[in-house]
């Protein structure tokens, strides 16, 4: 691949208040659980975590959609952005399910976690949309770190650099010879974009300045936007 997406790996939103610290603490607790459960099984880790990652965008889009209907106001592009995020995360899932097959136990975990996480995130969004976006911002910081570690596993030969699944080549418009490494690079760029969008939304809702260095909208998503 010639077009390697550039990602700023150093972005971290320093917690500024109690809500930020709760969001970061919650994220670090989940990170600890994921590290304990999956260790270095990055393919399996990606599958289970992407089933969770695809939830907040749809919740945020739903709540904002209903709010805009009630208030008869403009959404400033939030709804489509959040729906695109949900779809993008689902494509991550569909890609990694081609790379690693979830075990029966993981499928059961996914079932249970989805019930709890959907309801909990919905409730959080209703109580504090700003904290909900901050949580996602921190989740995505962790996702960028996890995919960076996955890349290291591939580069150092501990994970096989398989050919990119057809669904990934189609979605990200990768060349025929693309590999799993190329896929992880574009997925990581997506996560960096979600990270910056969600921290940006949280900042906006908190009345803070939004970061001018946000990761750009991924090219594939731009295409989807234009086709819509
Ligand atoms: Fe993802
Ligand atoms: Fe993400």
């Amino acid at each position: 691949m010639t077009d390697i997406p550039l990602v700023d790996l150093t972005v971290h939103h320093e917690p500024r208040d109690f809500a930020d610290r709760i969001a970061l603490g919650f994220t670090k607790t989940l990170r600890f659980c994921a590290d304990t459960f999956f260790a270095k099984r990055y393919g399996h880790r990606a599958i289970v975590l992407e089933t969770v990652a695809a939830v907040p965008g749809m919740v945020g889009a739903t709540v904002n959609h209903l709010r805009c209907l009630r208030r008869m106001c403009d959404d400033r592009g939030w709804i489509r952005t959040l729906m695109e995020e949900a779809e993008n995360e689902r494509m991550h899932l569909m890609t990694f399910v081609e790379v690693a097959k979830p075990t029966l136990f993981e499928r059961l975990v996914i079932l249970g976690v989805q019930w709890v996480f959907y309801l909990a995130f919905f409730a959080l969004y209703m109580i504090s949309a700003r904290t909900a976006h901050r949580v996602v911002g921190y989740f995505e910081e962790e996702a960028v770190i996890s995919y960076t570690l996955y890349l290291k596993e591939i580069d150092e030969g501990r994970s096989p650099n398989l050919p990119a699944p057809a669904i990934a080549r189609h979605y990200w418009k990768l060349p025929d010879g693309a590999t799993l490494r190329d896929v992880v690079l574009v997925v990581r760029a997506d996560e960096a974009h979600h990270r910056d969008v969600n921290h940006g939304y949280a900042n906006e809702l908190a009345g803070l300045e939004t970061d001018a260095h946000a990761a750009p909208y991924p090219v594939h998503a731009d295409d989807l936007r234009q086709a819509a």
Side-chain angles (χ1 to χ4, degrees):
M1 245 180 97
T2 47
D3 246 359
I4 297 174
L6 286 175
V7 171
D8 185 347
L9 303 176
T10 62
V11 172
H12 171 60
H13 176 84
E14 279 302 329
R16 298 189 191 182
D17 55 21
F18 184 66
D20 283 1
R21 273 185 275 277
I22 292 281
L24 184 58
F26 177 59
T27 306
K28 290 291 179 194
T29 307
L30 287 188
R31 164 110 214 170
F32 175 78
C33 295
D35 285 346
T36 308
F37 187 68
F38 297 107
K40 296 200 169 189
R41 295 157 59 233
Y42 286 102
H44 289 259
R45 181 193 189 104
I47 291 170
V48 176
L49 295 186
E50 294 295 359
T51 68
V52 174
V55 168
M58 199 52 88
V59 169
T62 303
V63 174
N64 280 292
H65 176 68
L66 296 176
R67 185 176 294 147
C68 287
L69 294 180
R70 288 195 311 276
R71 297 183 183 172
M72 298 172 207
C73 64
D74 184 56
D75 73 326
R76 293 170 297 143
W78 283 36
I79 297 170
R80 182 158 289 256
T81 301
L82 291 168
M83 284 174 66
E84 193 279 322
E85 177 188 303
E87 174 168 294
N88 181 246
E89 298 288 15
R90 187 167 49 77
M91 294 310 293
H92 293 173
L93 170 66
M94 298 309 288
T95 296
F96 285 109
V97 92
E98 297 288 327
V99 174
K101 300 284 175 233
T103 63
L104 180 64
F105 180 63
E106 284 163 356
R107 283 182 183 274
L108 291 173
V109 168
I110 288 165
L111 272 180
V113 167
Q114 187 174 86
W115 269 104
V116 174
F117 185 73
Y118 184 90
L119 294 173
F121 193 82
F122 198 98
L124 175 63
Y125 207 100
M126 297 302 286
I127 296 164
S128 171
R130 170 200 152 189
T131 311
H133 283 295
R134 186 68 74 208
V135 165
V136 179
Y138 284 135
F139 277 11
E140 302 288 0
E141 286 183 16
E142 296 295 339
V144 169
I145 294 168
S146 293
Y147 283 116
T148 302
L149 292 172
Y150 195 1
L151 276 179
K152 196 161 177 269
E153 290 292 296
I154 294 170
D155 288 345
E156 293 175 3
R158 287 186 294 274
S159 269
N161 191 16
L162 305 166
I167 190 168
R169 277 188 278 118
H170 176 74
Y171 181 69
W172 283 282
K173 298 186 172 59
L174 301 176
D176 283 346
T179 63
L180 180 59
R181 188 180 195 281
D182 301 319
V183 173
V184 174
L185 279 170
V186 285
V187 168
R188 185 177 67 170
D190 290 346
E191 308 296 17
H193 175 68
H194 302 156
R195 173 195 69 194
D196 296 349
V197 164
N198 281 279
H199 276 321
Y201 283 178
N203 287 348
E204 204 174 317
L205 291 170
L208 300 170
E209 226 172 90
T210 47
D211 187 2
H213 304 290
Y217 215 73
V219 178
H220 64 87
D222 243 350
D223 287 354
L224 291 177
R225 252 196 329 194
Q226 280 157 14

